[in-house]
Amino acid sequence: MQSPWKILTVAPLFLLLSLQSSASPAYNDLSRPSYSNGHTCVGCVLVVSVIEQLAQVHNSTVQASMERLCSYLPEKLFLKTTCYLVIDKFGSDIIKLLSADMNADVVCHTLEFCKQNTGQPLCHLYPLPKETWKFTLEKARRIVKKSPILRYSRSGSDICSLPILAKICQKIKSAIEQSVPFKDVDSDKYSVFPTLRGYHWRGRDCNDSDESVYPGRRPDNWDVHQDSNCNGIWGIDPKDGIPYEKKFCEGSQPRGIILLGDSAGAHFHISPEWITASQMSLNSFINLPTALTDELDWPQLSGVTGFLDSTVGIEEKSIYLRLWKRNHCNHRDYQNISRNGASSRNLKKFIESLSRNKMLDYPAIVIYAMIGNDVCNGKSDPVPAMTTPEKLYSNVMQTLKHLNSHLPDGSHVILYGLPDGTFLWDNLHNRYHPLGQLNKDVTYAHLYSFLNCLQVSPCHGWMSSNKTLRTLTSERAEQLSNTLKKIAASEKFTNFDLFYMDFAFHEIIQEWQKRGGQPWQLIEPVDGFHPNERKSVLLKGMLMTSQTLDNQEWTQLTLWVKGNLTCDSRTREWLCCCLRIVSGRRCSSSGPKSWERRIHSTPRLNRCLETKAGTEPLRSMHPWGAQGGRGVGKLIPQTLWGLLRHRPKGVSFSSIFAKCLSLNEEHIWMTVQCCVLLGSVTLPLFLK
């Protein structure tokens, strides 16, 4: 594997040369010459396949199919112009070879965009010709014996040496190498431009001429005169003279969301329409210029920092949108610090692009989600190149120390574990890849073998027919996850709390199947590697925002209850008992043993909450409950358990929890009951 730069530099020539970049480490060793040849080979085979299939779908000549492909491309980034240049330079020989019934593998080997090095196996995507490979290749070479293409390809020149491509290559290279916005006048790491690491990746700047104005900062003098934090709230209410920022945001605990991730977090995506001849139209490539200038990533649609509506009909919102919906003071406070090919090893090279001032900015929720590249690489023997648990520990601790020196006090950091990637082969190997659907000739097993042979696979360990290798890769992933779990359990930092979350993809598959989906639909169809961001990471994000983040408030409420609730009266003693049981401890020695037995299991806990541990008769379970009981219970107008159990359609747990947080000390019974319910083992049963 190698940098996406190698892919995008030839994108203007091989217009769809993006498959092999699908999460290849951005900073891996580039010394091996097979890397450049491998990526060029994949790009050639992709484009020649599309040309051939367009001719088949439209029953046209190869010349007509090439012109059709160019007509679909937009003018931006000179894509259409470049396509016609390719036709003029290479088209005649491609026409001759395809007209002689040579497949894409033979065409690209003949034109030397694919090469079989001495001692290396023959790499091919399609089934081998009926005649011997040597005979077929010699026959094809005779057809294009005097081709200028061969003189160009043998020269070893980089495609970007062509004058018309030099400017395009430079722009794309700059976007990939710089993790800060390309257009940032005041150098505050925020931009008014969407792509090239602009506001698709982090909140949009509202004043690009003032470096003190940016999303996520604490308001300057309550933003009386200007919107210093770009959340759209500023000025003074003329009715009472109170600044709007103070009125709406004071005490609301605004916080931003920051993702440190790889290509999955950046939402790497290649549209199937780009390589599926039967689906191509004038509308297929409208978003291609945007995708290229965003490094073939779609952070604006990602499961963590996405702010645009899904284009595939998925209703779930990103974590940022959930935080924004909960508190509009969080507007624009998101940062997607993700890179294609990122891992614990190379994060230090671009973590400096993170923007957070521990003195001036609001706290943040940081998600560390390097979920693949510490075990994934494209080498012929991938195991020695995997990150060891000891090295991961060192890398992550270095990252956490950096975060501790930049994050404001009160922040939270969540370490994401690695998935078990065996589901890739298990669910995809015998399915047809988009390139093989027309003629039923290319499965994902063929694609994986082709990429592994060229040593450009995004993850040889999991994208392999070798079951032993897949198992070894999963075992290393589990070891690394356990290392992250150990760090979260043992390390403490002054400015943030540290948590760990499993990437339980098998649970996500089960949840998706309950919704009527199939497991293979959770994988990006073109690269056959990435989890579909809006179908998998978001499902996991739903659990995370409902459980992990709410656990922060659960902890705060528990501490508040401990400080404000005395357990010396029988009226409240049952509450303390419930709270202790849910927290994993025994009731106090003075508490009735029958209470402990009664609420030790989930059904008994429910009864405890419904009947005050038996001190009252079972109350009505009408959807909106009945009146409260004696003492403090009289303050409760309805039974919270009834509200949770029979809540009306459209009423979410988060809205009920927000109600709990708004209660004051007079409603202590309801507050504690809410704490016990939402912090108990029954919570996951309702997160549907």
Side-chain angles (χ1 to χ4, degrees), residues 2-57:
Q2 75 165 29
S3 169
W5 167 236
K6 284 295 183 182
I7 300 131
L8 295 183
T9 55
V10 292
L13 172 60
F14 297 125
L15 300 168
L16 304 172
L17 183 53
S18 43
L19 173 65
Q20 72 276 17
S21 72
S22 59
S24 49
Y27 303 100
N28 263 5
D29 178 18
L30 306 182
S31 60
R32 291 185 295 166
S34 61
Y35 273 144
S36 179
N37 293 339
H39 285 120
T40 304
C41 178
V42 174
C44 178
V45 171
L46 278 174
V47 176
V48 173
S49 298
V50 170
I51 292 171
E52 183 180 19
Q53 292 183 18
L54 277 173
Q56 182 179 350
V57 168

Side-chain angles (χ1 to χ4, degrees), residues 342-403:
S343 67
S344 70
R345 299 186 298 270
N346 55 47
L347 175 58
K348 60 184 178 182
K349 295 186 178 181
F350 61 92
I351 195 173
E352 293 292 342
S353 65
L354 184 150
S355 173
R356 215 64 179 181
N357 187 304
K358 63 190 304 183
M359 302 301 298
L360 298 179
D361 298 346
Y362 281 121
I365 300 168
V366 179
I367 299 176
Y368 176 96
M370 301 295 172
I371 64 172
N373 293 315
D374 281 295
V375 296
C376 287
N377 61 79
K379 296 183 178 181
S380 57
D381 183 5
V383 176
M386 296 178 184
T387 304
T388 63
E390 295 76 17
K391 188 60 178 177
L392 180 75
Y393 184 91
S394 175
N395 294 339
V396 173
M397 287 302 298
Q398 184 178 358
T399 297
L400 295 176
K401 290 176 182 178
H402 178 89
L403 292 175

Side-chain angles (χ1 to χ4, degrees), residues 146-197:
K146 298 181 180 181
S147 170
I149 300 178
L150 296 182
R151 289 197 299 270
Y152 171 79
S153 61
R154 288 193 186 108
S155 69
S157 300
D158 189 280
I159 192 68
C160 284
S161 63
L162 294 175
I164 193 172
L165 301 181
K167 183 179 292 186
I168 301 174
C169 292
Q170 183 58 39
K171 286 184 177 180
I172 298 175
K173 183 177 181 180
S174 176
I176 293 175
E177 291 182 346
Q178 300 296 322
S179 293
V180 294
F182 176 77
K183 185 177 181 180
D184 180 17
V185 176
D186 56 12
S187 300
D188 60 1
K189 300 181 181 179
Y190 294 90
S191 177
V192 296
F193 191 73
T195 61
L196 296 174
R197 290 282 164 170

Side-chain angles (χ1 to χ4, degrees), residues 429-607:
H429 75 278
N430 58 353
R431 296 190 60 83
Y432 288 112
H433 184 267
L435 282 177
Q437 291 174 0
L438 181 63
N439 298 309
K440 309 300 180 186
D441 52 359
V442 177
T443 64
Y444 283 95
H446 295 137
L447 173 70
Y448 293 168
S449 176
F450 181 49
L451 298 179
N452 290 335
C453 179
L454 292 170
Q455 299 189 50
V456 295
S457 171
C459 194
H460 187 177
W462 279 324
M463 299 166 67
S464 170
S465 60
N466 187 330
K467 185 176 181 180
T468 301
L469 179 57
R470 299 199 304 270
T471 301
L472 287 173
T473 306
S474 292
E475 289 176 351
R476 177 60 60 86
E478 184 178 8
Q479 292 171 2
L480 298 185
S481 294
N482 289 335
T483 300
L484 294 172
K485 189 181 301 183
K486 177 182 177 181
I487 292 174
S490 61
E491 300 295 338
K492 304 295 180 184
F493 296 88
T494 57
N495 288 337
F496 57 81
D497 296 323
L498 190 59
F499 299 89
Y500 170 83
M501 282 200 65
D502 282 317
F503 193 102
F505 201 81
H506 291 291
E507 296 176 7
I508 296 172
I509 291 176
Q510 293 175 0
E511 178 66 26
W512 182 245
Q513 289 176 320
K514 290 179 182 178
R515 300 184 179 203
Q518 297 297 321
W520 57 268
Q521 293 174 315
L522 295 173
I523 311 301
E524 284 288 342
V526 174
D527 61 51
F529 173 65
H530 288 90
N532 186 300
E533 188 78 12
R534 300 297 282 182
K535 292 185 179 123
S536 61
V537 176
L538 273 181
L539 287 174
K540 190 63 179 176
M542 289 173 60
L543 296 177
M544 186 184 67
T545 51
S546 298
Q547 290 179 302
T548 305
L549 301 184
D550 283 350
N551 282 345
Q552 299 288 335
E553 290 142 344
W554 157 247
T555 301
Q556 294 175 8
L557 284 173
T558 302
L559 295 174
W560 178 84
V561 169
K562 290 179 180 178
N564 291 273
L565 181 61
T566 58
C567 297
D568 53 358
S569 66
R570 184 174 179 82
T571 305
R572 297 184 180 181
E573 190 172 9
W574 75 275
L575 295 173
C576 295
C577 191
C578 285
L579 187 61
R580 290 189 179 108
I581 290 296
V582 171
S583 301
R585 301 189 304 275
R586 297 178 60 85
C587 290
S588 62
S589 57
S590 60
K593 296 299 181 183
S594 60
W595 290 8
E596 184 172 342
R597 290 194 300 270
R598 176 172 297 183
I599 66 179
H600 198 67
S601 66
T602 298
R604 290 171 180 169
L605 172 63
N606 296 344
R607 180 169 176 80

